[in-house]
Amino acid sequence: MPRRRALTAWARDTGALIAEDDYDGEFRYDVAPLPALFGMDPEVVVYLGTTTKILTPALRVGWLAASPGLAARLAAAGGMLGDWASGPAQGALLSMIATGALERHIRRMRHDYSRRRAAMTAAFRGGDAGRLLGDEAGMHMILETRQPAAEVAAAAAERGVAVATLERYFAGTVTRNGLVLGYGGAALADVARGCEILAGLLASP
């Protein structure tokens, strides 16, 4: 909180505007969600979000919360961009919000993702396979490995397990060796099976 207060104070002092993308904010597990910066100082913060994680990327609906004056200016500018979200999709999302269906859906998915995450962290908890990072929120985590990640990914693919290497997410020099493990689109049994196969590969000499 002190860092957040310092950031909003800096924005006020310098005339800056903070864009707050609450990435994975709905899916935090062992820790409570942090309060939004927007709630602390809506005059210097714009809050952004989308339905990509909570519903589906195919819906292509997002939102922006800002102070009334800035919201009006942004709405006017947005009207000239010519790229609109589908009206029926927006209406469906508004209906879900109004009826509480969206909150119920998020609560249900948080429970489901928490179970998949637990299966994944249990499989790698000992540290023999590598160091697990980023497991406190979201729908994926990183496993830093001692073995070359590309070789592990290739061996896993031969056994029906698809994982990405960290290398593909670097714009410059690759400084970490590891795998990106996602569990958002897989059933609990598939997550457990995939982790078992990966753990076996990483335990091999």
Side-chain angles (χ1 to χ4, degrees):
M1 288 305 294
R3 290 184 65 194
R4 288 172 166 244
R5 283 192 289 268
L7 178 60
T8 54
W10 167 84
R12 278 195 169 274
D13 291 342
T14 60
L17 185 67
I18 301 167
E20 180 178 17
D21 180 3
D22 192 14
Y23 189 80
D24 287 338
E26 297 87 1
F27 301 114
R28 296 178 69 86
Y29 305 109
D30 292 339
V31 292
L34 294 169
L37 277 172
F38 180 74
M40 295 175 60
D41 197 338
E43 294 299 319
V44 297
V45 181
V46 172
Y47 182 89
L48 310 170
T50 76
T51 56
T52 298
K53 290 285 186 75
I54 59 175
L55 291 171
T56 170
L59 200 57
R60 298 181 63 81
V61 174
W63 54 85
L64 180 152
S67 63
L70 181 57
R73 289 166 55 196
L74 290 169
M80 297 183 290
L81 296 178
D83 189 11
W84 293 82
S86 159
Q90 293 184 64
L93 179 61
L94 285 172
S95 176
M96 290 184 71
I97 293 171
T99 61
L102 182 63
E103 182 58 35
R104 290 191 296 274
H105 168 75
I106 291 172
R107 199 160 48 237
R108 183 171 62 251
M109 294 314 299
R110 187 185 297 123
H111 174 71
D112 287 350
Y113 292 146
S114 180
R115 293 175 64 205
R116 300 176 206 176
R117 167 191 174 264
M120 190 170 281
T121 54
F124 302 116
R125 184 173 292 135
D128 295 336
R131 186 165 69 123
L132 208 55
L133 303 170
D135 61 321
E136 65 277 358
M139 290 173 273
H140 70 273
M141 57 188 79
I142 292 169
L143 182 65
E144 289 188 328
T145 63
R146 289 175 287 275
Q147 299 178 29
E151 294 180 9
V152 177
E158 291 177 357
R159 292 160 175 78
V161 180
V163 292
T165 63
L166 271 176
E167 180 180 7
R168 64 181 292 190
Y169 296 96
F170 278 84
T173 304
V174 179
T175 58
R176 286 189 176 185
N177 175 68
L179 304 169
V180 179
L181 312 178
Y183 52 91
L188 177 61
D190 293 331
V191 171
R193 172 184 167 275
C195 289
E196 182 181 353
I197 290 172
L198 273 177
L201 288 171
L202 290 165
S204 302

Tab-separated table of all heavy atoms in Angstrom, residues 4 6-12 15-21 37-38 41-48 65 70:
chain	number	residue	atom	x	y	z
A	4	ARG	N	1.801	1.979	-3.495
A	4	ARG	CA	0.657	2.421	-4.297
A	4	ARG	C	0.323	3.887	-4.006
A	4	ARG	O	0.033	4.662	-4.924
A	4	ARG	CB	-0.554	1.522	-4.010
A	4	ARG	CG	-0.371	0.135	-4.612
A	4	ARG	CD	-1.475	-0.833	-4.184
A	4	ARG	NE	-1.383	-1.986	-5.067
A	4	ARG	CZ	-2.334	-2.360	-5.927
A	4	ARG	NH1	-3.462	-1.690	-6.000
A	4	ARG	NH2	-2.158	-3.389	-6.711
A	6	ALA	N	2.459	6.083	-2.971
A	6	ALA	CA	3.550	6.873	-3.546
A	6	ALA	C	3.360	7.033	-5.053
A	6	ALA	O	3.648	8.094	-5.615
A	6	ALA	CB	4.893	6.205	-3.238
A	7	LEU	N	2.865	5.984	-5.709
A	7	LEU	CA	2.670	6.048	-7.156
A	7	LEU	C	1.571	7.048	-7.526
A	7	LEU	O	1.746	7.869	-8.433
A	7	LEU	CB	2.312	4.657	-7.697
A	7	LEU	CG	2.020	4.568	-9.197
A	7	LEU	CD1	3.232	5.011	-10.004
A	7	LEU	CD2	1.613	3.147	-9.584
A	8	THR	N	0.450	6.989	-6.814
A	8	THR	CA	-0.630	7.932	-7.128
A	8	THR	C	-0.217	9.362	-6.781
A	8	THR	O	-0.598	10.311	-7.486
A	8	THR	CB	-1.928	7.559	-6.397
A	8	THR	OG1	-1.674	7.434	-4.984
A	8	THR	CG2	-2.481	6.231	-6.917
A	9	ALA	N	0.571	9.527	-5.722
A	9	ALA	CA	1.058	10.869	-5.376
A	9	ALA	C	1.984	11.390	-6.467
A	9	ALA	O	1.923	12.571	-6.850
A	9	ALA	CB	1.784	10.836	-4.030
A	10	TRP	N	2.842	10.518	-6.979
A	10	TRP	CA	3.739	10.910	-8.077
A	10	TRP	C	2.937	11.322	-9.307
A	10	TRP	O	3.262	12.311	-9.968
A	10	TRP	CB	4.662	9.740	-8.421
A	10	TRP	CG	5.393	9.921	-9.717
A	10	TRP	CD1	6.549	10.610	-9.926
A	10	TRP	CD2	4.994	9.421	-10.997
A	10	TRP	NE1	6.908	10.577	-11.249
A	10	TRP	CE2	5.973	9.849	-11.938
A	10	TRP	CE3	3.915	8.654	-11.447
A	10	TRP	CZ2	5.882	9.531	-13.287
A	10	TRP	CZ3	3.838	8.343	-12.785
A	10	TRP	CH2	4.816	8.785	-13.696
A	11	ALA	N	1.871	10.571	-9.625
A	11	ALA	CA	1.051	10.894	-10.784
A	11	ALA	C	0.409	12.273	-10.630
A	11	ALA	O	0.350	13.056	-11.583
A	11	ALA	CB	-0.019	9.821	-10.982
A	12	ARG	N	-0.067	12.571	-9.421
A	12	ARG	CA	-0.663	13.891	-9.184
A	12	ARG	C	0.375	15.001	-9.322
A	12	ARG	O	0.117	16.053	-9.912
A	12	ARG	CB	-1.304	13.940	-7.797
A	12	ARG	CG	-2.694	13.339	-7.752
A	12	ARG	CD	-3.436	13.719	-6.483
A	12	ARG	NE	-4.844	13.351	-6.584
A	12	ARG	CZ	-5.771	14.097	-7.122
A	12	ARG	NH1	-5.452	15.266	-7.643
A	12	ARG	NH2	-7.038	13.691	-7.164
A	15	GLY	N	1.436	15.180	-13.165
A	15	GLY	CA	0.402	15.262	-14.199
A	15	GLY	C	0.306	14.010	-15.047
A	15	GLY	O	-0.252	14.027	-16.145
A	16	ALA	N	0.841	12.900	-14.541
A	16	ALA	CA	0.806	11.631	-15.282
A	16	ALA	C	-0.539	10.943	-15.094
A	16	ALA	O	-1.298	11.242	-14.164
A	16	ALA	CB	1.931	10.714	-14.802
A	17	LEU	N	-0.823	10.022	-15.984
A	17	LEU	CA	-2.032	9.211	-15.909
A	17	LEU	C	-1.613	7.741	-15.828
A	17	LEU	O	-0.821	7.271	-16.650
A	17	LEU	CB	-2.916	9.434	-17.137
A	17	LEU	CG	-4.272	8.728	-17.142
A	17	LEU	CD1	-5.172	9.306	-16.053
A	17	LEU	CD2	-4.940	8.871	-18.508
A	18	ILE	N	-2.116	7.027	-14.857
A	18	ILE	CA	-1.763	5.622	-14.661
A	18	ILE	C	-2.805	4.738	-15.338
A	18	ILE	O	-4.006	4.882	-15.082
A	18	ILE	CB	-1.700	5.275	-13.163
A	18	ILE	CG1	-0.662	6.148	-12.452
A	18	ILE	CG2	-1.386	3.791	-12.960
A	18	ILE	CD1	-0.768	6.080	-10.937
A	19	ALA	N	-2.378	3.851	-16.198
A	19	ALA	CA	-3.271	2.863	-16.807
A	19	ALA	C	-3.146	1.569	-16.004
A	19	ALA	O	-2.086	0.947	-15.983
A	19	ALA	CB	-2.900	2.625	-18.260
A	20	GLU	N	-4.218	1.172	-15.347
A	20	GLU	CA	-4.210	-0.008	-14.478
A	20	GLU	C	-4.912	-1.172	-15.174
A	20	GLU	O	-6.128	-1.165	-15.356
A	20	GLU	CB	-4.909	0.301	-13.157
A	20	GLU	CG	-4.942	-0.883	-12.207
A	20	GLU	CD	-5.601	-0.568	-10.882
A	20	GLU	OE1	-6.325	0.456	-10.809
A	20	GLU	OE2	-5.408	-1.330	-9.923
A	21	ASP	N	-4.126	-2.161	-15.570
A	21	ASP	CA	-4.671	-3.366	-16.185
A	21	ASP	C	-4.730	-4.431	-15.099
A	21	ASP	O	-3.703	-4.967	-14.692
A	21	ASP	CB	-3.764	-3.815	-17.341
A	21	ASP	CG	-4.265	-5.068	-18.029
A	21	ASP	OD1	-5.348	-5.556	-17.652
A	21	ASP	OD2	-3.577	-5.573	-18.929
A	37	LEU	N	-5.975	0.408	-7.717
A	37	LEU	CA	-5.444	1.765	-7.651
A	37	LEU	C	-6.535	2.777	-7.974
A	37	LEU	O	-6.565	3.863	-7.416
A	37	LEU	CB	-4.302	1.931	-8.652
A	37	LEU	CG	-2.910	1.464	-8.245
A	37	LEU	CD1	-1.979	1.526	-9.446
A	37	LEU	CD2	-2.363	2.319	-7.123
A	38	PHE	N	-7.423	2.422	-8.891
A	38	PHE	CA	-8.490	3.322	-9.312
A	38	PHE	C	-9.333	3.766	-8.126
A	38	PHE	O	-9.767	4.917	-8.045
A	38	PHE	CB	-9.356	2.643	-10.371
A	38	PHE	CG	-10.490	3.495	-10.859
A	38	PHE	CD1	-10.254	4.559	-11.718
A	38	PHE	CD2	-11.791	3.243	-10.455
A	38	PHE	CE1	-11.296	5.356	-12.166
A	38	PHE	CE2	-12.837	4.028	-10.902
A	38	PHE	CZ	-12.589	5.094	-11.766
A	41	ASP	N	-7.475	6.658	-6.166
A	41	ASP	CA	-7.410	8.002	-6.742
A	41	ASP	C	-7.892	7.964	-8.189
A	41	ASP	O	-7.091	7.908	-9.125
A	41	ASP	CB	-5.979	8.552	-6.677
A	41	ASP	CG	-5.932	10.061	-6.873
A	41	ASP	OD1	-6.897	10.609	-7.458
A	41	ASP	OD2	-4.956	10.698	-6.452
A	42	PRO	N	-9.208	8.009	-8.401
A	42	PRO	CA	-9.746	7.893	-9.763
A	42	PRO	C	-9.411	9.070	-10.664
A	42	PRO	O	-9.640	8.999	-11.868
A	42	PRO	CB	-11.260	7.795	-9.536
A	42	PRO	CG	-11.488	8.361	-8.180
A	42	PRO	CD	-10.267	8.067	-7.383
A	43	GLU	N	-8.871	10.137	-10.113
A	43	GLU	CA	-8.506	11.283	-10.945
A	43	GLU	C	-7.223	11.043	-11.735
A	43	GLU	O	-6.995	11.693	-12.749
A	43	GLU	CB	-8.352	12.540	-10.087
A	43	GLU	CG	-9.640	13.028	-9.455
A	43	GLU	CD	-10.678	13.395	-10.499
A	43	GLU	OE1	-10.310	14.000	-11.520
A	43	GLU	OE2	-11.873	13.068	-10.282
A	44	VAL	N	-6.388	10.123	-11.259
A	44	VAL	CA	-5.104	9.912	-11.944
A	44	VAL	C	-4.945	8.472	-12.444
A	44	VAL	O	-3.878	8.093	-12.919
A	44	VAL	CB	-3.902	10.274	-11.030
A	44	VAL	CG1	-3.938	11.749	-10.664
A	44	VAL	CG2	-3.869	9.400	-9.777
A	45	VAL	N	-6.000	7.660	-12.303
A	45	VAL	CA	-5.923	6.254	-12.702
A	45	VAL	C	-7.062	5.926	-13.664
A	45	VAL	O	-8.201	6.353	-13.462
A	45	VAL	CB	-6.004	5.303	-11.484
A	45	VAL	CG1	-5.909	3.839	-11.933
A	45	VAL	CG2	-4.900	5.612	-10.480
A	46	VAL	N	-6.744	5.181	-14.711
A	46	VAL	CA	-7.747	4.604	-15.609
A	46	VAL	C	-7.673	3.094	-15.437
A	46	VAL	O	-6.594	2.502	-15.521
A	46	VAL	CB	-7.474	4.992	-17.076
A	46	VAL	CG1	-8.407	4.236	-18.001
A	46	VAL	CG2	-7.634	6.487	-17.276
A	47	TYR	N	-8.805	2.473	-15.184
A	47	TYR	CA	-8.868	1.038	-14.880
A	47	TYR	C	-9.375	0.281	-16.110
A	47	TYR	O	-10.433	0.616	-16.652
A	47	TYR	CB	-9.796	0.829	-13.690
A	47	TYR	CG	-9.936	-0.596	-13.213
A	47	TYR	CD1	-9.086	-1.124	-12.261
A	47	TYR	CD2	-10.958	-1.414	-13.706
A	47	TYR	CE1	-9.225	-2.416	-11.803
A	47	TYR	CE2	-11.108	-2.711	-13.259
A	47	TYR	CZ	-10.242	-3.201	-12.312
A	47	TYR	OH	-10.383	-4.495	-11.868
A	48	LEU	N	-8.626	-0.722	-16.536
A	48	LEU	CA	-8.955	-1.475	-17.747
A	48	LEU	C	-9.211	-2.942	-17.427
A	48	LEU	O	-8.594	-3.512	-16.537
A	48	LEU	CB	-7.796	-1.392	-18.748
A	48	LEU	CG	-7.233	-0.009	-19.066
A	48	LEU	CD1	-5.946	-0.141	-19.862
A	48	LEU	CD2	-8.250	0.800	-19.837
A	65	ALA	N	-12.764	2.183	-16.765
A	65	ALA	CA	-13.353	3.048	-15.742
A	65	ALA	C	-12.431	4.246	-15.550
A	65	ALA	O	-11.217	4.086	-15.393
A	65	ALA	CB	-13.521	2.288	-14.428
A	70	LEU	N	-12.808	12.522	-17.818
A	70	LEU	CA	-11.951	11.773	-18.732
A	70	LEU	C	-12.748	10.709	-19.475
A	70	LEU	O	-12.519	10.465	-20.667
A	70	LEU	CB	-10.799	11.128	-17.956
A	70	LEU	CG	-9.785	10.326	-18.781
A	70	LEU	CD1	-9.173	11.191	-19.874
A	70	LEU	CD2	-8.698	9.745	-17.880
